[in-house]
Amino acid sequence: MKSVALSTFAILAATSLTRAQSENLPTYPVSDDVTFNFDILSTMGQIPNDGADVSPSLEASNNITPGDRESFTLAWFNLANKTKQQALDPEIAYDPVNVRATWFSVASYFRRADTYNRADWNDPRINSYWEEQQEAFDKAIAALPVPARRIAIPTDGFTIEAIWYPHSNNIERRPTILMGQGFDAAQEDLYATFVAPALQRGYHVLTFEGPGQNKPRRDQGVGFIPDWERVVTPVVDLVLSDLADYVDPDRLVLYGHSFGGYLEARAAAFEHRISALVLNGGVYDSFMVYSTPLSDDLRQLLESGEQERFDESVAELVQAEETPTQIKWGVEQGLWSFNTHSPFEWFQMLREYNLTGLTDNIQVPVWLADGEFEDVNAGQSQLVKDAMGDRAELHLFNGSAGYHCQTGASQEFGRVIFAWLNKALNKEA
Ligand SMILES: *[C@@H]1O[C@H](CO)[C@@H](O)[C@H](O)[C@H]1NC(C)=O
Ligand SMILES: *[C@@H]1O[C@H](CO)[C@@H](O)[C@H](O)[C@H]1NC(C)=O
Ligand SMILES: *[C@@H]1O[C@H](CO)[C@@H](O)[C@H](O)[C@H]1NC(C)=O
C-alpha cells in the first residue's frame, strides 16, 4: 500500500506547496502555500462590498503556516471573533451602515475559518462556525437599504435554500439573475463579488443552494445530485409565481459558479424558461477533472474496481504530511459534499456529472469564462465551447484576473459579464 501512496506523492509533488513562488503567478504571494494563497485572495476579493478589510486579512495571512490547515483555521477564527466583538458594541452599531459592513466581514471571516474543517464529519466546528456566519450574514442583509431575505423552497426529497435580494423596495419587474454556487463555497460568498454589483446595476438577484452545498448539506444531510434541474426548476417556478411581480420572465439569467458550471449547464438542458446562461467557467466532465491528478497506480486501482485498496491509498495520501493542501482539501471536501466516506464511491458518482449529449438542448445564449491560471477545471471551458459552437461565447481572463473564477478580480469580471448581459438581454435602462 505504502508504495502506491508514495509514488502518488512523487507525481503530485510536481504541483506542490511552493507553487506560489515557482509558478511565476502574476500577483505577490500572500502565502507560499498556493492553496492558502488562493483562499486568502478569495477573502480579499470580498473587500469592495464590505466582505473583508485589507490589513486585517493580511495580518491573518501572516499567522498562517504553509501546509498547516489548523493555523489557517485559527487565524481566521481569531479575526472573526475579534470583529464580532466590534459588531456587538452598541456604540459601533449606532447606524445600519456600520451594522451591515461589520457583520458582512464577520460572516466572511467565519466562513474562511470553516474552509478546512472536513477531516472529521463530527467536528463541531462544521456547524458552530456555520451558525456564526449565518447569524452574522442575516444581521448584515437585514440592515441593507433594501433588505434581503431567506426563502426555503421545499421539493420532493430536499429543500433548496435561497436568498432573495430585490433591487429596490418598489414592486417592478426587472431582469433577474439566479446565482448557483459550486463545489464548496457558500451562496453568501457571492454577495460581495457578484450580488452587490448586480443590484447596483438594476438586477434583482436570487442565490440558491441545493444538495451537497453548504446549508442543505448541513441541515438535511444531503449530498450532491447530478440531475440539477431538480434544483433549478423549483427555483424558476418560485420566481415566476411568488416573485412574479418583480421578475421579468423574458430576462431571467442563470449563473453557475465554479462546479456550478456543470450543475447549471446540466439544468439548462432541461429548464427552458431562462433567457441566458452564464458559466464561470465551463465543466464538461467532472470525472476527468478529479481523476486527472491521480497517479497511474491509483488510476489502475480505480479502473480495476479495487475499492478497498483505492480507499486505503487515498486515505494514506491525505494523511501524508507532504501531500499538497489542494489534494487534502479536495478529497475531504469532496467526500463530505457528496456524502460518502469512500473515495472510490465518490469517483463512481463523479462519472455522472458530465454534459455528454446534453449541450444541444441548451438553446439560449451562453457565456463562458476561462482563466490563464485556471487550475481546478483546466481545459474544461474549451470542451464546453467546442460542444456548443456559436451559441457560446468564451472569454479568457488573463494576467491578474486569470485565477479560477477571477478570484481577487471581481471588478474585471463584472465589467465583462454585465456588458455581455446588457447585449444578451437587450436590457433597457
Ligand atoms: C473572542 O474574543 C473575546 C474578546 O476579544 C475573547 O475574550 C474571547 O476569549 C474570544 N473567544 C475565543 C473562543 O477565542
Ligand atoms: C455521463 O453521465 C451519464 C449519466 O448522467 C452516464 O450515463 C454516462 O456514462 C456519463 N458519460 C461519461 C462519458 O462519463
Ligand atoms: C490578455 O488578453 C488580451 C485581450 O484578449 C490580449 O490583448 C492580451 O494579449 C492577453 N495577454 C496574454 C498574456 O495572453
Side-chain angles (χ1 to χ4, degrees):
M1 220 53 54
K2 190 110 194 138
S3 63
V4 172
L6 284 179
S7 64
T8 302
F9 171 64
I11 305 264
L12 293 173
T15 60
S16 119
L17 276 180
T18 52
R19 210 169 52 167
Q21 302 155 315
S22 64
E23 264 201 4
N24 226 354
L25 293 177
T27 55
Y28 185 80
V30 283
S31 172
D32 284 339
D33 183 319
V34 71
T35 305
F36 290 168
N37 183 59
F38 178 86
D39 293 332
I40 296 163
L41 286 180
S42 301
T43 312
M44 296 184 70
Q46 309 236 343
I47 289 169
N49 289 295
D50 292 335
D53 208 353
V54 181
S55 291
S57 298
L58 289 174
E59 185 183 28
S61 78
N62 245 357
N63 294 327
I64 295 169
T65 308
D68 179 353
R69 291 176 293 166
E70 281 298 322
S71 74
F72 185 98
T73 303
L74 191 63
W76 292 109
F77 175 82
N78 286 337
L79 177 56
N81 184 38
K82 181 173 149 191
T83 313
K84 182 183 168 185
Q85 306 306 319
Q86 296 180 18
L88 289 170
D89 180 339
E91 279 190 29
I92 283 177
Y94 81 97
D95 82 345
V97 181
N98 264 359
V99 168
R100 63 180 179 255
T102 316
W103 284 115
F104 271 133
S105 289
V106 172
S108 156
Y109 300 147
F110 272 117
R111 288 198 299 279
R112 225 43 61 210
D114 177 64
T115 308
Y116 293 103
N117 300 332
R118 299 291 178 278
D120 170 9
W121 293 10
N122 296 316
D123 184 336
R125 296 175 301 181
I126 295 178
N127 289 328
S128 64
Y129 288 13
W130 205 258
E131 282 156 20
E132 291 274 14
Q133 91 81 20
Q134 193 172 296
E135 280 173 27
F137 195 84
D138 287 353
K139 286 183 180 133
I141 58 175
L144 283 169
V146 185
R149 65 183 165 96
R150 290 186 186 269
I151 302 180
I153 310 169
T155 77
D156 195 12
F158 53 85
T159 296
I160 298 156
E161 296 288 351
I163 303 174
W164 167 240
Y165 301 86
H167 162 74
S168 74
N169 289 315
N170 304 334
I171 296 182
E172 55 187 344
R173 287 189 168 181
R174 287 183 165 274
T176 302
I177 310 181
L178 310 175
M179 298 184 187
Q181 262 292 8
F183 183 65
D184 58 296
Q187 60 181 329
E188 289 88 341
D189 280 308
L190 290 169
Y191 173 76
T193 54
F194 196 22
V195 175
L199 295 173
Q200 286 152 13
R201 287 163 168 100
Y203 292 87
H204 298 308
V205 175
L206 185 99
T207 62
F208 60 93
E209 291 181 346
Q213 296 178 325
N214 281 285
K215 191 166 163 57
R217 173 63 184 81
R218 284 180 174 80
D219 294 355
Q220 305 161 50
V222 285
F224 272 112
I225 55 169
D227 40 353
W228 204 248
E229 60 279 11
R230 287 169 61 199
V231 176
V232 170
T233 289
V235 166
V236 174
D237 288 345
L238 173 101
V239 299
L240 296 182
S241 57
D242 291 13
L243 301 175
D245 290 344
Y246 293 89
V247 174
D248 179 343
D250 297 322
R251 291 186 292 176
L252 191 54
V253 180
L254 180 61
Y255 169 84
H257 192 80
S258 191
F259 183 52
Y262 162 75
L263 299 170
E264 279 22 280
R266 155 83 200 201
F270 296 88
E271 173 49 70
H272 300 294
R273 292 171 291 177
I274 59 163
S275 323
L277 177 65
V278 176
L279 305 175
N280 188 8
V283 179
Y284 193 78
D285 184 336
S286 306
F287 181 79
M288 190 191 290
V289 168
Y290 292 94
S291 62
T292 297
L294 294 177
S295 67
D296 290 346
D297 289 338
L298 275 176
R299 187 178 268 275
Q300 232 164 37
L301 291 179
L302 184 62
E303 294 303 336
S304 59
E306 294 189 59
Q307 175 162 3
E308 207 171 306
R309 289 194 62 204
F310 183 80
D311 286 351
E312 282 169 11
S313 301
V314 172
E316 202 177 320
L317 178 66
V318 169
Q319 290 307 317
E321 202 183 323
E322 313 81 357
T323 300
T325 302
Q326 182 72 11
I327 304 287
K328 294 179 184 227
W329 169 81
V331 172
E332 288 174 353
Q333 177 66 26
L335 296 177
W336 183 78
S337 60
F338 282 73
N339 204 20
T340 172
H341 286 289
S342 162
F344 183 88
E345 255 180 36
W346 175 39
F347 274 95
Q348 304 316 314
M349 291 176 184
L350 284 169
R351 289 183 199 273
E352 287 186 68
Y353 293 71
N354 69 78
L355 297 178
T356 308
L358 294 176
T359 49
D360 285 352
N361 300 339
I362 300 171
Q363 291 297 341
V364 294
V366 178
W367 182 91
L368 279 162
D370 202 355
E372 185 180 356
F373 300 99
E374 173 63 57
D375 50 357
V376 182
N377 298 320
Q380 292 287 316
S381 289
Q382 189 62 52
L383 293 177
V384 178
K385 166 70 182 159
D386 292 346
M388 291 190 175
D390 289 345
R391 283 168 295 141
E393 178 171 323
L394 174 60
H395 183 91
L396 174 69
F397 288 96
N398 58 23
S400 57
Y403 294 129
H404 179 66
C405 293
Q406 306 85 47
T407 287
S410 55
Q411 201 182 84
E412 182 167 337
F413 165 71
R415 274 196 284 279
V416 174
I417 191 54
F418 288 114
W420 183 84
L421 281 176
N422 192 54
K423 278 190 290 180
L425 301 176
N426 190 20
K427 192 164 75 78
E428 298 131 40

